[in-house]
Amino acid sequence: MKHQSSRRESAAQATAAHVPDPRRFEASKRVLLIDAFMNRFIRVGGIGVVVAVIGIFVFIVSQVVPMFQSARIDTSTTTGLSEALPEGDYVAIASDEWGERPLALRADGRFFVTDLNEAGRVAESDFQFLEGDTISAVSAMPGSGVITVGTAGGKVHLLDYAHEASFSGGKRSVKETLAKGYTGTFGGPVRRVAFGQSGAARLVAALAAGEGGDRLVVNLIERKRSLVGSGTWKETASIDLTKTLRPGVPVNSLLVSNRADTLIVVFANGEVDYHFRAGNATEFELRQTFRPFAELSNPTIASAGFLFGDVSLVFLSPTGDNVIFSLYRTEAEPVRIFHPTKNFAPLESKVTDSFFTKSQRNKAFLVGAGKRVSLRHATTEKVRWEGDLPFSVRHALIGPKYDALLFFGDDRRFHRYALDDPHPEVSVKALFGKVWYEGSPEPKYEWQSTGGSDDFEPKLSLVPLIFGTLKGTFYALLFAMPIALFGAIYTSEFLHPRNKVYVKPVMEIMASLPSVVLGFLAALWLAPILESRVPSILCIVILLPAASFVIGWIWSRQPQSIRKHVPAGREFLYFIPVLLSILVAGWHLGPVLEKFVFTVNDVASGTRIGDFTRWWPAVTGTVYEQRNSLVVGFVMGFAVIPIIFTIAEDSLSNVPGALRSGSLALGASRWQTAWRVVLPTASAGIFSALMIGLGRAVGETMIVVMATGNTPIMEWNIFSGMRTLSANIAVELPEAPHHGTLYRTLFLGAVALFVMTFAVNTVAEVLRQHLRERYKTV
């Protein structure tokens, strides 16, 4: 009994020892603290990421917004006001680079200089040139450094003016110099005069009265340069164009381009003659006669002038209509002639005594009449600013730095106003619409930020860059998507588990390759190979997939007695040699195909030869470039494949095994199970993989910088290059002036990339949720 009692006590103690301790489910304070910290850390980190993304977007937008502001001119406050000049008729004005010491020419030949930094003090210059004659015509082209004066005595004087700055005690002082550069005789009183110069050549055109009527004469003045310096100006030719005048039709104005090759004659009836001098010729050719306002009831021209660069003419009608004609050549025309390209809003005032002046830095110009002034820009076809001044304008100038407007009013005073218009060449149309640029026969999308001359017209359309981004992405996904998706399906559903452990590391190594290395290989290794092997690529693209399907179909038709000798999931080990043989055969079959199919006539030998690089342009009319979209598709696709493959394979592998087992138990084959059960269930994840791959391709930079010609063209030709938004930023930003127009336009490109990525991700998330809801019960 005693022994039994002892055993019962031992059993009770053992039972008590195995009773679960209720405190075993309680977490320690250390674990709770770590858990609480991590929850808050993750929450704060997520909020931080969102705030950082929003902050980046706000910063980028803040760099773009100032670009769309209009010009600002405060007419209530002048930055310089001169004393009233002496009584008289002032026929021309000129200014220095800083707009501090403008000078005015009076009809009696006297010059008056104003110092706007010294309370607008006026002083008369000692320079004299008329010698008892009187001024009958004058022309002062901004920035030329020359005032051309015609006299009643039949002479034309070229008056050279210059301004020299000196610094003393940290203060700048400007001193002007005036000199007579050339004097020519034209027989009778000069009614109209014009001047232009280019290098060592000057062209002076004058309309002078004669016994039989007006005469139009153009003098060519040149000087020779030698090792000891420049020589003196000498008249080398005199060209009589009197026969081109209209009897009884007065000439309103003459214009000469700064290339010294173009003469424009504006008649009182609204007709315009365009004369051209080719090269060093001493004869002019009348190339065109046109009427800018032919459709108006009053077709006369109130004022006319060249834009900066002397490729475009600006015309203003008496009713305020404003049009621009530019030089370009069409296929039906052997030479460039003037065509209408821009039509501005009419000036909001009656034009009685109009004026015109051009900017010396860009395609802006100033027109007006009386108190009404309008600042306009030719590229954007926009009115930058328009308003009324408290005085009537006699003469006007735009500051050489495009930072001031200088007016000479009917009160005989100079008025200088500050101009704040840092981005005149920007508008929504210029960035995203078709623009009719100088020299182009039609409006078009074009990106060309810089040129070889100061009068270059920036072309800042983002459309070719957006197109290039979409084009590169399309060809990259065209190559990457089928390989990545079929590879993911095969790896998840058919590959032997022991072989799967090698696939993922290989894909991770592919994803880790730097873009600059891939771009370097594409440009210097792959592109030269593909240039001469496109037919081989075509053979491989056709033969390899076809052979894979044929091999798979034949293998599936083999009896079990044969298939049992190959372990399931390792069939590829036996098929790889066959596929490699087909690949090699396709590579060597390419030149044979090229020889018989892609043939062109060889001019040198007179025979037909096989050359795909010449056959493609001849048949399609498009170009063939070594660095093209095919190269980008291969290399950028190579960079995108690991991303799509990894995410898609994970999505397929995470499909519950019970779904596979159920499908196979009902008699479905492995391929039917993969296609009809596994693939729909994992479709949300696969779609996410595609969208992430798309985002990777859209933002790729170094590959497209190095593997394409970086040409911003708009064509789907697979054998031409492109320029993407990201590549454009990488190429242009180092040379963009800080806060300049190009700088801010590149930031706008970044905004476009941001918006494109955001739109793609938003659409992807919506579709992913839709697919997830649709197949969640499968």
Side-chain angles (χ1 to χ4, degrees):
M1 293 291 294
K2 191 173 183 179
H3 179 68
Q4 290 178 352
S5 175
S6 176
R7 284 195 303 176
R8 284 195 297 269
E9 289 177 0
S10 298
Q13 291 177 357
T15 303
H18 289 85
V19 172
D21 187 354
R23 292 178 299 173
R24 74 183 188 279
F25 296 109
E26 296 180 5
S28 66
K29 291 184 177 179
R30 179 172 174 271
V31 172
L32 291 174
L33 288 174
I34 293 176
D35 183 68
F37 170 77
M38 292 306 297
N39 283 334
R40 288 176 173 78
F41 181 79
I42 293 172
R43 185 180 297 117
V44 171
I47 296 173
V49 170
V50 174
V51 171
V53 171
I54 295 175
I56 292 173
F57 182 73
V58 170
F59 170 75
I60 295 174
V61 171
S62 69
Q63 299 299 308
V64 173
V65 170
M67 194 165 56
F68 295 96
Q69 295 178 354
S70 299
R72 292 187 292 272
I73 302 171
D74 186 4
T75 57
S76 62
T77 305
T78 62
T79 58
L81 178 63
S82 73
E83 298 175 350
L85 274 65
E87 292 283 349
D89 181 20
Y90 291 86
V91 294
I93 64 171
S95 179
D96 60 293
E97 180 182 354
W98 304 273
E100 296 175 355
R101 286 181 66 85
L103 54 88
L105 173 62
R106 202 166 60 182
D108 60 359
R110 306 296 296 177
F111 280 94
F112 294 87
V113 181
T114 300
D115 192 337
L116 296 180
N117 287 344
E118 297 293 337
R121 189 174 59 241
V122 177
E124 184 177 350
S125 172
D126 295 332
F127 176 74
Q128 303 210 12
F129 67 95
L130 277 183
E131 300 174 356
D133 210 343
T134 58
I135 295 176
S136 58
V138 66
S139 173
M141 185 180 296
S144 65
V146 175
I147 297 177
T148 310
V149 176
T151 68
K155 293 184 178 181
V156 172
H157 303 281
L158 298 185
L159 309 179
D160 296 320
Y161 66 90
H163 294 83
E164 182 179 355
S166 59
F167 295 85
S168 177
K171 185 178 181 180
R172 179 179 62 213
S173 59
V174 180
K175 182 176 179 59
E176 67 284 336
T177 57
L178 290 161
K180 186 186 295 186
Y182 160 84
T183 298
T185 302
F186 288 80
V190 178
R191 302 182 187 277
R192 299 286 184 266
V193 70
F195 166 81
Q197 66 178 2
S198 175
R202 287 180 165 183
L203 210 62
V204 178
L207 181 75
E211 294 181 359
D214 291 343
R215 296 175 59 247
L216 177 59
V217 179
V218 181
N219 287 353
L220 178 62
I221 308 162
E222 297 177 299
R223 66 178 176 184
K224 305 296 182 181
R225 294 183 179 272
S226 62
L227 295 177
V228 295
S230 301
T232 58
W233 292 103
K234 294 182 179 180
E235 183 179 314
T236 58
S238 182
I239 308 164
D240 193 338
L241 298 177
T242 305
K243 62 181 180 180
T244 63
L245 299 178
R246 277 78 157 157
V249 182
V251 173
N252 274 3
S253 61
L254 301 176
L255 301 172
V256 175
S257 71
N258 270 334
R259 298 187 304 274
D261 61 0
T262 299
L263 170 65
I264 302 296
V265 183
V266 180
F267 292 93
N269 63 355
E271 289 185 344
V272 178
D273 280 356
Y274 164 40
H275 301 265
F276 182 76
R277 181 178 70 93
N280 296 322
T282 57
E283 295 293 332
F284 273 90
E285 170 194 357
L286 178 58
R287 284 193 170 179
Q288 182 187 12
T289 297
F290 62 99
R291 183 171 288 184
F293 300 111
E295 73 282 358
L296 299 181
S297 57
N298 181 8
T300 58
I301 298 172
S303 60
F306 278 109
L307 274 179
F308 184 51
D310 296 348
V311 178
S312 299
L313 284 169
V314 180
F315 297 101
L316 186 68
S317 75
T319 56
D321 293 272
N322 184 199
V323 296
I324 293 180
F325 279 61
S326 298
L327 282 172
Y328 64 81
R329 184 176 69 87
T330 64
E331 295 182 357
E333 297 163 347
V335 295
R336 296 198 308 172
I337 61 174
F338 285 96
H339 300 81
T341 56
K342 305 291 175 64
N343 193 351
F344 286 84
L347 194 65
E348 296 182 5
S349 68
K350 187 177 180 181
V351 178
T352 53
D353 190 9
S354 63
F355 59 87
F356 164 84
T357 187
K358 65 181 179 181
S359 169
Q360 303 170 45
R361 176 163 291 205
N362 52 44
K363 302 298 179 179
F365 60 95
L366 197 67
V367 293
K371 297 182 178 181
R372 194 69 177 177
V373 177
S374 182
L375 178 65
R376 305 175 173 207
H377 196 275
T379 302
T380 60
E381 204 172 346
K382 294 291 183 182
V383 177
R384 302 298 300 170
W385 177 87
E386 186 168 328
D388 290 320
L389 299 177
F391 54 88
S392 293
V393 178
R394 295 291 306 278
H395 304 284
L397 289 175
I398 299 177
K401 298 180 182 294
Y402 196 67
D403 59 354
L405 299 181
L406 183 67
F407 299 101
F408 186 81
D410 57 356
D411 55 357
R412 305 191 315 281
R413 296 175 184 268
F414 281 104
H415 303 259
R416 186 180 63 194
Y417 295 97
L419 170 62
D420 182 15
D421 190 19
H423 311 291
E425 54 276 289
V426 172
S427 69
V428 174
K429 180 182 178 181
L431 294 169
F432 298 103
K434 287 187 176 181
V435 176
W436 207 327
Y437 296 106
E438 288 184 339
S440 173
E442 61 183 1
K444 59 183 178 179
Y445 305 109
E446 187 171 355
W447 173 275
Q448 187 181 359
S449 59
T450 56
S453 61
D454 292 336
D455 57 10
F456 170 75
E457 183 178 26
K459 304 169 181 63
L460 302 176
S461 175
L462 294 181
V463 176
L465 307 179
I466 296 173
F467 181 90
T469 303
L470 297 177
K471 178 181 177 181
T473 302
F474 170 77
Y475 285 116
L477 291 181
L478 187 65
F479 173 74
M481 189 168 63
I483 295 177
L485 290 184
F486 282 116
I489 294 172
Y490 181 79
T491 302
S492 172
E493 303 302 315
F494 301 98
L495 189 62
H496 195 281
R498 291 184 180 179
N499 297 114
K500 289 183 181 181
V501 298
Y502 302 107
V503 175
K504 278 294 186 68
V506 170
M507 287 297 169
E508 290 171 0
I509 292 174
M510 285 178 60
S512 65
L513 289 175
S515 295
V516 66
V517 174
L518 295 177
F520 178 79
L521 292 174
L524 300 183
W525 174 70
L526 184 61
I529 293 176
L530 292 183
E531 182 181 18
S532 59
R533 285 290 188 171
V534 173
S536 298
I537 298 299
L538 292 175
C539 291
I540 292 172
V541 168
I542 295 172
L543 293 178
L544 204 58
S548 300
F549 281 109
V550 170
I551 292 172
W553 182 82
I554 293 175
W555 180 252
S556 66
R557 294 298 185 272
Q558 300 304 307
Q560 190 63 31
S561 59
I562 296 178
R563 297 175 61 181
K564 68 180 182 180
H565 297 290
V566 179
R570 293 186 176 176
E571 298 88 351
F572 72 95
L573 294 175
Y574 299 89
F575 298 155
I576 283 179
V578 179
L579 295 177
L580 287 177
S581 301
I582 294 173
L583 188 147
V584 173
W587 184 259
H588 289 89
L589 185 62
V592 178
L593 182 68
E594 183 178 40
K595 183 178 180 180
F596 290 100
V597 178
F598 305 113
T599 59
V600 293
N601 287 322
D602 183 41
V603 178
S605 63
T607 60
R608 292 190 69 83
I609 61 173
D611 189 345
F612 185 87
T613 60
R614 294 167 61 183
W615 175 87
W616 178 264
V619 172
T620 64
T622 58
V623 299
Y624 182 95
E625 299 173 351
Q626 185 190 77
R627 300 185 183 184
N628 52 48
S629 302
L630 181 65
V631 177
V632 172
F634 283 157
V635 180
M636 194 154 69
F638 182 85
V640 172
I641 283 174
I643 298 173
I644 299 177
F645 174 88
T646 302
I647 301 175
E649 199 276 333
D650 287 341
S651 300
L652 292 166
S653 298
N654 288 329
V655 173
L659 295 177
R660 293 185 179 88
S661 301
S663 175
L664 295 172
L666 292 173
S669 66
R670 294 170 64 191
W671 175 250
Q672 289 173 326
T673 299
W675 185 257
R676 298 185 180 181
V677 176
V678 178
L679 198 60
T681 306
S683 59
I686 293 174
F687 188 77
S688 297
L690 294 177
M691 291 300 103
I692 294 175
L694 175 64
R696 169 73 169 84
V698 167
E700 177 55 46
T701 303
M702 293 311 300
I703 292 176
V704 290
V705 166
M706 304 177 72
T708 69
N710 256 332
T711 49
I713 57 177
M714 295 183 62
E715 57 179 36
W716 286 107
N717 178 16
I718 193 173
F719 298 111
S720 66
M722 84 285 284
R723 178 180 286 195
T724 65
L725 285 166
S726 56
N728 189 64
I729 294 172
V731 171
E732 301 269 6
L733 192 58
E735 306 297 329
H738 186 59
H739 287 168
T741 300
L742 177 58
Y743 176 87
R744 296 192 186 279
T745 304
L746 295 176
F747 270 92
L748 181 61
V751 172
L753 267 179
F754 202 108
V755 171
M756 289 172 63
T757 305
F758 179 79
V760 168
N761 290 338
T762 301
V763 172
E765 181 61 21
V766 171
L767 292 178
R768 189 185 71 83
Q769 291 294 341
H770 172 74
L771 292 172
R772 186 175 182 180
E773 290 295 322
R774 180 177 179 180
Y775 293 108
K776 68 179 180 180
T777 58
V778 173

